[in-house]
Amino acid sequence: HSEFGAPGVASARSAAEEAAGPGEAEEDGAEHHHHHGGGFRVVQWEWNYVQTPYIIAIWLLVASVAKILFHFSQRFTTVVPESCMLILLGLVLGGIVLIANKKQLYQLDPALFFLFLLPTIVGDAGYFMPARLFFDNLGAILTYAVVGTLWNAFCTGFCLYAAKLLGIIGHHVQADLMDFLLFGALISAVDPVAVLAVFEEVHVNETLFIIVFGESLLNDAVTVVLYKVYISFVEVGGANVLTADYFKGVASFLIVSIGGTLVGLVFAVILGFVTRFTKKVRIIEPLFVFLLVYLAYLTAELFSLSAILSMTFCGIGANKYVEANISQKSRTTIKYTMKNLASIAETIIFIFLGISAVDKSKWAWDTGLVSCTLVFIFVFRAMGVVGQTWVLNRFRLVPLDKIDQVVMSYGGLRGAVAFALVVLLDGEQVKAKDYFVATTIVVVFFTVMFQGLTIKPLVKWLKVPRATNRKPTINEEIHERAFDHILTAVEDIAGLQGYHHWRDKWEQFDRNYLSKLLLRKSVYRKSELWEAYQKINIRDAISVIDQVGPSKKSIYLSIYISKKNFHLTLFATVLLVCSRRENGSGVCLDLQVIDNVPGSKVVEDMETHHVLAGNLYKPRKRSHYSRHFMPLGEKERQDREVFQRNMRIRMETYKSSRHKRHKKERTAPSSPPTEDSHLPWKGGVGLPPPCVSVEATKIIPVDLQQAWNQSISSLESVSSPPASTEPVHPRVSALSRLGGPRPASYTAPSTTVSSTTSIGAPAPQSSFCFPEKKKKKMQEEEEEEEEPGASQEMQPLMLPVRPPGLLPPPSPPLPPPGPGRRRNPCVYLRSLVAAPPPASGDLHSRRPTQL
Amino acid sequence: MGSRASTLLREEEIEEIKKETGFSHSQITRLYSRFTSLDKGENGTLREDQVNFRGFMRTLAHFRPVEDNEKNKNPPTTEPLNSRTNKLLFAFRLYDLDRDDKISRDELLQVLRMMVGVNISDEQLGSIADRTIQEADQNGDNCISFQEFMKVLEKVDVEQKMSIRFLH
């Protein structure tokens, strides 16, 4: 910091700037030769040209480097929240600039704040808001946001006025009732930026978090209205306020809040609709999301409605449809860009807060005012929370206990929004503006720093239930859905039109109208439960792949290379690699990969997952809202154990299930139940058919079937993992039971496998050629032909099995599943291979499934 | 409606139900009128399943919100019907159709099929069912017992998800 002296140069921060300055000044000097008339200057100082973006970039750089430096000290970062450190940094920087220039050059500009910095943070928060949790607690959130803020605002305003009358506040503070009410309004709102910054580090349980955070977002409407109303009252003069104006104020509140919400929802619908058609322009999908969410904010600002409400509801509303419509890469891009931008905005805000504090010319100190304000906001917040909680608990299912209330009152942080609002005041109208500014700065600093520092120990001391970072399990998904259904039914029986009743109605409306409008056709038909199941599977697969270690890279490579014949090559290579690693997991991984092999979309997913799993994010985290990473732990090991156990058990109960007729029936969803009753795998445990999106039409199930068989036998020969030998046994014995020619055809490929040690295994090496798309139709027809034969054979076996649609007789109608089911694939394959009709004979030769 | 209801329901019965289920007096009378409106045949039971009013109330009692101030006043001798365990037991019994205290794969498939509609094929459903059982099953019998069911849902906020608000 050695170069502050240059008076004409507006920046005075780092030597690096000076050094960089001349370096970049090689603009076309030809254009700017007015500096020194005459000679041609080779290199010029083009500061004015690049000034603005340069300064912005330097700011961001300083902030980011500061963040890196903070995290060097581990102990420091766990105690002190980042927001505190950023404010301190801002103070330091502000001090430097002040000393250098004798005046403050940089300050938090309200326009910059409201137009650029705040939307990024709110947009990020709204888009990733857990909608279910939000709506479950909406009553509490609205109560605190509206009633709580009003209570705080009025009480603080009146009490400050009373304090002034009593003389506690000095006489130089020229403010009367209206001014104090105005100040009360802007200081009483809980701030979303501060809440996020602090609560993110604390990790309280999700209910508590969503209530405080939701309150901080929704109270924007109240703040905006109060602020505007009181500003106009102040302008008019306290004595001239008519009662009609009060009513206008109330009406204005309704309009602002409801209008803001509606604007947000309109944009949410537009956004969902637009993303329905972005299949061909995948690369700009994130752009639509950012633009429309930002436009929601700006449009609300345009009509002076509540912009934060608008953006929040736009995010919440659109999230479901957008996430379903867009590609995985776009999802990742959106997530990372939003978090990135929000993090930057937050950093800038806190630094500016620090800097602005140092500018003495902008504020004036009055001890009475400051201390009174601090006391009042704290006291009234606590009283408000207690009172409202008492009322709410009479209606809530899970009451908020005392500890929750303490955390809620303590977590009512004020932040940059209040500061921006106070700076926005007109000094002419509000004479005491400078005093208010000083008070606001102190309040904000106090809440963010002091309360931010102490909230972690407080939470620990009070033993507040913390957020459980649990890995999503399919059990939870299923049972939670079941509970929803049960509760809806019970409400119906009891004649209540409660929460679940309306939720159910909403779900029906959504299913019948909204989703049809906003979701892609291909997505619309998928079931949420299946999608959730797939996600869980993918997570497990990746977690195992992760642990395989250095072979990760080779897997990634092989996936990449073999995208064309991805199915088999994918699992073959993964198989080979993993089977060499660990006996158990080799087999496990294979099965899992088959489960997930379906479409190019999923492979794309897996690629992305691999890259990201290695570098950026761990998919198994269910982060309701976190920008920080968390270390891996015991959970991963346990996941893997569960996973391996799953796979082992599944191997033991392996059965057929590669009939893909239902794929065609995707277009006629009504047919499956009736037609499927012929199929033999009814009631048996089946490997799922790969999930298919209509876009990916490359699955040829029967091949996978054979390939699966071969992989099993290859496994035996290659590494004979102990875990897999016994599960494979029934299959092998079943094979041998059915006759001679079979084993031969299966051992042949296995030798090929053992000789194939290289991992790439692209098309030329293995003679495996996965049937191309054009052959699919033919094969499906052939499949059709074979099916009746197979199903006839198997029908007698399967007759006792009822299609799942039937309810009682409750006794499990299954015949002893083992031998019957295991025979089926063999029988089916035999019909394919051993005694084929001429067509399928050709089929077989055309599809050599050697590895 | 109110007067008709109260004449058919004796005070002692109301008291008994109150003690057993924990509903308040007004809730019981209101639910009784609901019961009678469902009970078209006026024979004191609902449908052929022979659910009388006591059974009706007992079932509904499972869905009352959990109250932990009950513990302070007088610890109940038996577990109240709306405790977490009993709520889970109720849900468990809905899955366990043959009442053998285990959810077998078939029972799970039936429930899943009812929940899911026609968009999922049987195979897919089967694999979901498999995975569900394997996640929960700890003693390897390929069925989910009640203990395993409870364990797998230990992190779920059952008190909230299995409760509804009965109007006072």
Side-chain angles (χ1 to χ4, degrees):
Chain A
H1 301 286
S2 55
E3 297 272 345
F4 341 107
V9 178
S11 88
R13 249 161 328 208
S14 59
E17 226 171 43
E18 275 295 318
E24 56 76 26
E26 291 177 12
E27 299 299 333
D28 31 359
E31 279 190 23
H32 300 275
H33 57 250
H34 56 271
H35 286 285
H36 306 263
F40 171 74
R41 294 195 61 83
V42 177
V43 164
Q44 292 195 88
W45 180 248
E46 298 293 347
W47 178 246
N48 294 330
Y49 183 59
V50 296
Q51 179 173 0
T52 319
Y54 204 87
I55 292 182
I56 294 175
I58 290 289
W59 265 118
L60 290 178
L61 190 61
V62 167
S64 312
V65 168
K67 272 199 173 178
I68 296 179
L69 292 175
F70 290 156
H71 285 277
F72 273 148
S73 164
Q74 187 73 351
R75 204 150 30 110
F76 199 55
T77 49
T78 46
V79 172
V80 180
E82 222 174 76
S83 42
C84 287
M85 295 193 276
L86 288 172
I87 290 188
L88 287 173
L89 175 70
L91 280 173
V92 166
L93 286 177
I96 293 173
V97 174
L98 194 64
I99 295 172
N101 284 326
K102 304 292 180 291
K103 68 182 177 78
Q104 188 57 266
L105 293 164
Y106 301 103
Q107 151 142 63
L108 188 64
D109 175 25
L112 174 74
F113 177 76
F114 282 116
L115 285 180
F116 296 106
L117 296 177
L118 191 60
T120 13
I121 298 183
V122 173
D124 178 43
Y127 190 76
F128 292 108
M129 176 87 78
R132 178 70 195 259
L133 200 59
F134 181 74
F135 286 110
D136 278 351
N137 291 298
L138 191 60
I141 292 177
L142 276 177
T143 310
Y144 288 118
V146 177
V147 174
T149 312
L150 283 174
W151 161 264
N152 282 345
F154 283 123
C155 286
T156 312
F158 279 118
C159 288
L160 281 176
Y161 186 58
K164 165 106 195 286
L165 291 179
L166 288 175
I168 304 177
I169 301 180
H171 289 291
H172 36 263
V173 179
Q174 299 168 337
D176 59 357
L177 182 61
M178 283 302 150
D179 296 313
F180 280 119
L181 283 174
L182 173 61
F183 180 63
L186 63 88
I187 200 79
S188 63
V190 178
D191 183 72
V193 178
V195 165
L196 268 180
V198 170
F199 271 69
E200 216 178 11
E201 316 227 348
V202 177
H203 301 300
V204 293
N205 61 357
E206 38 187 33
T207 311
L208 202 48
F209 173 74
I210 201 77
I211 290 180
V212 179
F213 183 56
E215 177 196 347
S216 69
L217 282 178
L218 295 195
N219 67 14
D220 178 60
V222 177
T223 313
V224 160
V225 168
L226 281 179
Y227 187 76
K228 289 209 175 82
V229 161
Y230 281 123
I231 287 217
S232 62
F233 283 3
V234 163
E235 278 173 21
V236 167
N240 301 339
V241 176
L242 310 167
T243 37
D245 291 330
Y246 287 111
F247 285 111
K248 273 198 228 163
V250 172
S252 160
F253 167 69
L254 288 171
I255 293 178
V256 160
S257 52
I258 297 180
T261 314
L262 283 178
V263 168
L265 292 176
V266 162
F267 274 94
V269 169
I270 297 178
L271 181 56
F273 192 67
V274 163
T275 51
R276 185 176 160 188
F277 301 107
T278 55
K279 188 165 144 201
K280 303 287 181 198
V281 285
R282 292 270 190 208
I283 201 74
I284 59 171
E285 271 170 346
L287 185 64
F288 282 117
V289 176
F290 295 135
L291 280 179
L292 282 167
V293 172
Y294 191 42
L295 274 177
Y297 184 87
L298 291 178
T299 311
E301 277 285 348
L302 173 66
F303 293 114
S304 70
L305 303 170
S306 166
I308 292 187
L309 274 185
S310 160
M311 204 175 202
T312 306
F313 281 103
C314 178
I316 294 180
N319 186 41
K320 174 179 168 199
Y321 306 103
V322 169
E323 292 283 303
N325 278 340
I326 61 181
S327 72
Q328 176 66 24
K329 283 186 180 149
S330 299
R331 258 179 243 139
T332 315
T333 309
I334 291 177
K335 179 170 175 173
Y336 276 89
T337 313
M338 276 200 163
K339 302 236 176 265
N340 214 344
L341 289 175
S343 181
I344 292 174
E346 189 182 277
T347 310
I348 293 183
I349 289 176
F350 284 120
I351 290 192
F352 265 120
L353 271 178
I355 291 188
S356 311
V358 184
D359 182 8
K360 275 196 75 136
S361 67
K362 293 277 189 317
W363 47 264
W365 180 270
D366 181 76
T367 320
L369 182 60
V370 170
S371 47
C372 281
T373 312
L374 276 177
V375 168
F376 288 146
I377 58 172
F378 203 69
V379 165
F380 290 125
R381 168 93 183 150
M383 282 170 63
V385 165
V386 169
Q388 289 167 86
T389 312
W390 182 80
V391 172
L392 280 174
N393 276 345
R394 296 160 68 84
F395 299 101
R396 279 181 65 85
L397 289 168
V398 180
L400 297 164
D401 57 11
K402 294 213 175 37
I403 297 184
D404 291 333
Q405 291 172 40
V406 168
V407 176
M408 274 196 286
S409 12
Y410 204 70
L413 309 171
R414 273 63 170 182
V417 173
F419 180 72
L421 284 176
V422 86
V423 168
L424 210 48
L425 288 175
D426 183 357
E428 301 301 313
Q429 300 283 347
V430 182
K431 304 273 186 318
K433 175 180 170 183
D434 292 342
Y435 294 99
F436 288 155
V437 170
T439 316
T440 312
I441 291 180
V442 173
V443 166
V444 170
F445 272 45
F446 182 80
T447 58
V448 175
M449 297 189 68
F450 181 72
Q451 283 179 253
L453 266 170
T454 51
I455 200 168
K456 235 182 186 174
L458 183 74
V459 159
K460 245 185 243 155
W461 178 54
L462 288 177
K463 300 197 186 48
V464 177
R466 308 294 284 268
T468 53
N469 222 23
R470 44 187 220 257
K471 150 179 136 60
T473 65
I474 190 75
N475 268 285
E476 282 175 12
E477 296 274 336
I478 292 182
H479 298 311
E480 284 182 8
R481 279 160 216 271
F483 291 160
D484 278 342
H485 289 295
I486 294 173
L487 286 188
T488 312
V490 171
E491 275 192 5
D492 201 26
I493 291 175
L496 302 167
Q497 294 212 322
Y499 175 58
H500 291 89
H501 175 87
W502 294 112
R503 271 209 86 209
D504 193 55
K505 281 226 157 35
W506 164 257
E507 299 266 324
Q508 283 183 24
F509 170 69
D510 181 46
R511 205 176 315 138
N512 295 334
Y513 299 104
L514 267 187
S515 292
K516 276 205 185 118
L517 178 67
L518 300 178
L519 286 182
R520 293 207 186 137
K521 277 220 183 61
S522 59
V523 176
Y524 176 62
R525 279 197 215 96
K526 290 194 197 143
S527 156
E528 271 183 39
L529 187 60
W530 180 248
E531 291 295 306
Y533 171 68
Q534 287 290 82
K535 275 205 193 106
I536 294 176
N537 275 344
I538 291 181
R539 279 197 181 110
D540 274 350
I542 290 164
S543 71
V544 175
I545 293 181
D546 275 354
Q547 280 142 27
V548 170
S551 61
K552 199 168 42 176
K553 283 222 175 80
S554 49
I555 297 171
Y556 175 59
L557 267 171
S558 65
I559 294 172
Y560 207 87
I561 293 171
S562 58
K563 204 166 180 179
K564 257 205 157 172
N565 303 326
F566 61 87
H567 302 108
L568 224 59
T569 330
L570 168 61
F571 91 73
T573 49
V574 164
L575 188 75
L576 286 170
V577 167
C578 293
S579 61
R580 261 187 255 122
R581 293 285 141 194
E582 271 200 26
N583 297 336
S585 68
V587 175
C588 302
L589 196 62
D590 174 53
L591 259 178
Q592 204 56 6
V593 165
I594 282 201
D595 283 347
N596 292 307
V597 132
S600 58
K601 186 165 108 134
V602 176
V603 171
E604 200 189 4
D605 294 358
M606 288 190 81
E607 282 178 50
T608 320
H609 277 294
H610 283 301
V611 173
L612 292 176
N615 300 315
L616 290 176
Y617 81 107
K618 305 295 175 197
R620 60 196 145 271
K621 293 217 182 2
R622 177 194 274 184
S623 58
H624 62 259
Y625 193 70
S626 171
R627 294 187 207 129
H628 307 286
F629 302 135
M630 293 203 278
L632 301 178
E634 178 68 4
K635 223 180 292 118
E636 275 51 271
R637 187 187 65 79
Q638 287 170 358
D639 291 359
R640 200 158 143 244
E641 278 182 46
V642 167
F643 182 83
Q644 290 177 8
R645 189 162 34 96
N646 294 349
M647 290 308 114
R648 221 167 286 140
I649 296 176
R650 283 165 85 155
M651 283 282 292
E652 285 162 19
T653 57
Y654 176 77
K655 65 256 75 39
S656 76
S657 67
R658 289 294 163 175
H659 306 270
K660 290 311 160 285
R661 278 159 84 232
H662 78 276
K663 283 292 167 293
K664 279 162 103 182
E665 286 156 357
R666 283 243 166 215
T667 50
S670 53
S671 31
T674 46
E675 290 183 85
D676 284 352
S677 53
H678 300 302
L679 296 176
W681 38 262
K682 227 33 172 158
V685 181
L687 280 176
C691 167
V692 158
S693 59
V694 171
E695 303 140 295
T697 53
K698 298 195 202 107
I699 316 295
I700 316 299
V702 177
D703 269 356
L704 274 174
Q705 176 72 36
Q706 294 185 316
W708 168 243
N709 299 334
Q710 289 169 24
S711 71
I712 296 289
S713 46
S714 76
L715 264 183
E716 294 177 73
S717 59
V718 169
S719 56
S720 31
S724 62
T725 40
E726 12 126 18
V728 175
H729 259 249
R731 150 149 301 275
V732 173
S733 59
L735 286 179
S736 53
R737 241 186 285 143
L738 289 172
R742 286 296 241 40
S745 67
Y746 281 92
T747 47
S750 69
T751 50
T752 325
V753 166
S754 48
S755 62
T756 309
T757 50
S758 77
I759 294 176
Q765 185 191 20
S766 65
S767 50
F768 167 65
C769 60
F770 212 80
E772 300 301 329
K773 229 191 285 194
K774 47 189 180 302
K775 297 188 193 143
K776 187 191 179 206
K777 285 249 161 34
M778 239 183 308
Q779 283 148 5
E780 279 196 322
E781 290 164 35
E782 283 151 349
E783 226 184 298
E784 298 282 288
E785 275 178 69
E786 282 142 13
E787 294 249 311
S791 63
Q792 276 163 23
E793 285 193 57
M794 291 180 276
Q795 202 122 30
L797 287 174
M798 282 304 158
L799 263 177
V801 179
R802 314 303 306 152
L806 293 185
L807 294 179
S811 58
L814 276 180
R821 264 184 279 140
R822 273 184 229 115
R823 271 186 69 186
N824 297 333
C826 314
V827 172
Y828 174 57
L829 287 167
R830 181 173 65 153
S831 69
L832 252 191
V833 177
S840 64
D842 291 344
L843 183 70
H844 184 59
S845 61
R846 220 183 305 123
R847 296 179 291 166
T849 49
Q850 294 168 336
L851 289 173
Chain B
M1 185 75 94
S3 57
R4 174 169 160 251
S6 51
T7 49
L8 292 176
L9 192 62
R10 299 189 309 276
E11 272 303 312
E12 315 90 70
E13 263 193 79
I14 296 185
E15 281 305 310
E16 280 175 46
I17 296 178
K18 194 169 175 182
K19 224 178 299 193
E20 189 183 358
T21 61
F23 280 117
S24 75
H25 200 281
S26 54
Q27 285 172 333
I28 295 178
T29 32
R30 176 181 294 117
L31 287 171
Y32 187 74
S33 49
R34 173 71 182 168
F35 178 79
T36 41
S37 67
L38 288 173
D39 173 27
K40 300 286 186 337
E42 289 203 26
N43 52 355
T45 61
L46 285 172
R47 302 189 321 184
E48 323 84 45
D49 296 284
Q50 306 293 321
V51 178
N52 64 2
F53 184 60
R54 297 294 290 268
F56 181 72
M57 291 306 284
R58 223 172 282 138
T59 307
L60 284 182
H62 282 101
F63 293 96
R64 281 181 59 236
V66 176
E67 290 151 24
D68 47 10
N69 44 10
E70 268 173 2
K71 284 190 219 130
N72 303 333
K73 287 187 203 155
N74 44 346
T77 45
T78 56
E79 208 169 350
L81 280 174
N82 62 339
S83 70
R84 184 196 164 99
T85 313
N86 279 331
K87 285 183 199 280
L88 284 175
L89 193 60
F90 186 86
F92 185 78
R93 291 214 180 105
L94 280 180
Y95 286 97
D96 182 20
L97 302 160
D98 58 358
R99 297 296 183 112
D100 62 352
D101 283 332
K102 289 193 295 212
I103 304 177
S104 72
R105 189 174 174 272
D106 270 338
E107 291 163 349
L108 193 58
L109 269 180
Q110 286 178 20
V111 174
L112 281 176
R113 176 52 72 188
M114 284 192 279
M115 283 206 301
V116 141
V118 295
N119 281 342
I120 297 194
S121 74
D122 288 314
E123 294 164 358
Q124 291 175 321
L125 221 52
S127 68
I128 294 180
D130 286 333
R131 181 166 176 133
T132 309
I133 294 186
Q134 281 140 23
E135 259 181 16
D137 193 22
Q138 280 159 1
N139 55 0
D141 60 353
N142 269 355
C143 289
I144 306 179
S145 73
F146 183 56
Q147 296 305 321
E148 291 162 356
F149 187 71
M150 279 213 296
K151 176 115 190 14
V152 97
L153 288 180
E154 64 187 352
K155 295 215 175 105
V156 171
D157 187 8
V158 175
E159 288 87 343
Q160 181 163 31
K161 292 201 191 285
M162 276 284 274
S163 303
I164 62 179
R165 273 181 218 110
F166 289 96
L167 307 167
H168 291 286

